[in-house]
Amino acid sequence: MSGIVKRVGILTGGGDVPGLNAAIKGFVWRMEEAGYEVVGLRRGWAALLNVIPSYGVDNSPWLINLTRASTRTIDRSGGTVLHSSRINPALTKLSAIPEHLQGRGEPGPEGMVDLTAAALETLSFLGLDVLVAIGGDGTLSFARRLHQEGVKIIGLPKTMDNDVYGTDYCIGFSTAVTRSVNFINDLRTVAGSHERYLVVELFGRYSGETCLLASYLSGADRALIAEVPFDAEAVVAMMAEDKRTNPSNYAVAAISEGAYPAGGQPFESGEADAVGNRELGGVGRYLREQLQKGTGDRVIYQRLGYLMRSGPPDALDRLVANNFANLAADLILANKAGRLVSIQGGCYTTEPIELTGEGKKQVNVDRFYDKERYRPNIVGVMGLPMFLC
């Protein structure tokens, strides 16, 4: 039986999205059926720093045994039963270092500490033959580091922004777009009733794909995406014309939180998080001010924020989450690791996990966006994959 995996771990890191519980359940059910033990690591990579690698210590706040019985109903809700965090052991803020690791680690950038060695000790203590990490760029960056250190690891991509490099699709994206379309159309009733401008701000730090598709599907008048700095004066003039020519006398703009005016910078605020990112948001408020100043009319501004990632997944995210989970199980049963479960060209496949660090996935602006009119330009889709990647 040498080389056969009997004990596997699974974690979720970064922001939560609908579909994570479906992936966890699908993986647990498949692995238990094959005779494997599944250990859930709670709160993402933070578990590897907070578990004390010593027998007799109560590590239950950070570890949980996952079975068919304990995961039977979890796919009916959104979020993640394993909880999450934005901790990256290779980039740990001094304030986030657990007491038992004080004084450990190698110096990192900007006052951070690299605690990868401590994370490796925990993994050895747990006796995990393979670890499945479900996350976005931040989570998968440490997965790559563990792979380089010889850990058998499998990555499952998830993020509302759909921006993990190496896959056409990430768990959570469809639900985020669906929610955005529904909210934009719901807000039309208010904008139309009061004959106002409507500005809807969506998540999207570096990629505007959520904004692009939500605008395309909801018929928003203008879409300002993170990849293209916008001319505020031109946008105001265009939206004034949109409102004037609309029989209901209102106009709608959707805007990525990472968008910014030409010559400016993304709107950030607050303290940097555990991996150095400050909170984005407020560009929609800026656009509202420009519209009010340029037109003299009142403007409705709505930031969707966490509404996009709340609640249960839609049918597509349930489907992809279950299929990604089954692909991860296939890899383990075939004794393969160091892979990213992905979709390429509309087909399920796997890629080397190193691929996630080889580029940034953003909107193909030249192909799918009109930079002059600030609108989706999605035409001639014959032969393209479903998500236009």
Side-chain angles (χ1 to χ4, degrees):
M1 300 293 288
S2 176
I4 300 297
V5 175
K6 286 297 181 183
R7 182 175 167 88
V8 294
I10 185 170
L11 62 81
T12 53
D16 64 291
V17 297
L20 292 175
N21 284 335
I24 294 166
K25 176 182 176 178
F27 180 75
V28 171
W29 282 46
R30 180 79 185 282
M31 298 312 298
E32 184 176 297
E33 188 176 66
Y36 293 75
E37 178 186 2
V38 183
V39 178
L41 279 63
R42 305 179 69 193
R43 305 178 187 92
W45 295 124
L48 296 185
L49 300 183
N50 285 276
V51 166
I52 297 176
S54 177
Y55 294 103
V57 174
D58 179 15
N59 284 311
S60 59
W62 301 97
L63 302 171
I64 183 172
N65 288 325
L66 298 173
T67 65
R68 290 171 67 98
S70 68
T71 59
R72 185 178 64 86
T73 63
I74 64 172
D75 58 325
R76 301 173 192 174
S77 61
T80 165
V81 296
L82 292 178
H83 307 293
S84 190
S85 73
R86 297 190 183 277
I87 295 294
N88 181 338
L91 296 168
T92 308
K93 295 177 76 171
L94 293 176
S95 59
I97 300 176
E99 184 177 348
H100 71 281
L101 293 181
Q102 292 293 327
R104 293 281 306 274
E106 300 295 325
E110 300 178 4
M112 292 188 172
V113 175
D114 184 349
L115 291 172
T116 301
L120 291 169
E121 288 176 14
T122 300
L123 283 172
S124 177
F125 169 74
L126 294 175
L128 300 178
D129 298 282
V130 176
L131 178 60
V132 174
I134 311 176
D137 281 334
T139 302
L140 295 176
S141 69
F142 191 65
R144 293 196 304 272
R145 173 66 182 275
L146 290 179
H147 172 66
Q148 294 167 358
E149 298 287 346
V151 175
K152 290 186 176 180
I153 197 155
I154 294 167
L156 269 65
K158 69 86 206 161
T159 169
M160 290 183 304
D161 297 347
N162 203 37
D163 61 352
V164 172
Y165 195 79
T167 181
D168 291 353
Y169 189 83
C170 301
I171 298 169
F173 178 61
S174 175
T175 307
V177 172
T178 299
R179 298 238 197 291
S180 299
V181 171
N182 290 341
F183 282 124
I184 290 171
N185 285 332
D186 286 347
L187 288 163
R188 286 179 182 277
T189 63
V190 183
S193 295
H194 295 275
E195 299 177 284
R196 295 180 185 174
Y197 295 97
L198 169 64
V199 176
V200 182
E201 185 175 328
L202 310 176
F203 276 143
R205 178 174 289 270
Y206 302 116
S207 171
E209 190 171 1
T210 304
C211 179
L212 182 81
L213 287 187
S215 299
Y216 173 54
L217 297 177
S218 68
D221 296 292
R222 306 293 160 177
L224 307 181
I225 62 176
E227 292 84 349
V228 180
F230 60 90
D231 181 328
E233 186 175 334
V235 172
V236 168
M238 291 176 191
M239 289 197 66
E241 180 66 10
D242 295 333
K243 185 173 183 287
R244 187 188 69 79
T245 57
N246 183 340
S248 295
N249 196 34
Y250 74 94
V252 181
I255 186 167
S256 299
E257 63 177 1
Y260 57 94
Q265 295 290 330
F267 288 70
E268 296 182 316
S269 62
E271 296 274 335
D273 64 16
V275 293
N277 291 326
R278 297 176 66 206
E279 182 178 355
L280 277 179
V283 66
R285 186 179 295 109
Y286 167 83
L287 181 58
R288 178 184 66 179
E289 293 169 355
Q290 298 303 305
L291 278 166
Q292 290 180 162
K293 186 187 303 181
T295 67
D297 292 343
R298 295 185 65 183
V299 180
I300 299 167
Y301 163 55
Q302 182 65 59
R303 185 179 179 188
L304 294 188
Y306 290 100
L307 289 170
M308 296 170 61
R309 64 166 26 131
S310 301
D314 66 11
L316 182 58
D317 272 324
R318 291 178 192 272
L319 176 66
V320 173
N322 276 281
N323 288 343
F324 275 5
N326 273 300
L327 282 170
D330 288 341
L331 288 170
I332 291 173
L333 295 174
N335 201 22
K336 296 179 180 179
R339 309 293 295 179
L340 173 77
V341 171
S342 72
I343 295 176
Q344 293 278 7
C347 297
Y348 290 102
T349 185
T350 70
E351 300 287 346
I353 201 163
E354 296 95 333
L355 185 62
T356 61
E358 292 183 6
K360 280 191 173 182
K361 184 168 177 279
Q362 295 181 301
V363 170
N364 184 338
V365 172
D366 292 336
R367 178 68 178 82
F368 298 121
Y369 187 68
D370 187 331
K371 293 184 288 186
E372 304 300 321
R373 301 171 69 212
Y374 302 107
R375 284 177 170 167
N377 182 38
I378 299 175
V379 295
V381 299
M382 181 71 75
L384 294 179
M386 184 171 61
F387 281 99
L388 308 177
C389 298

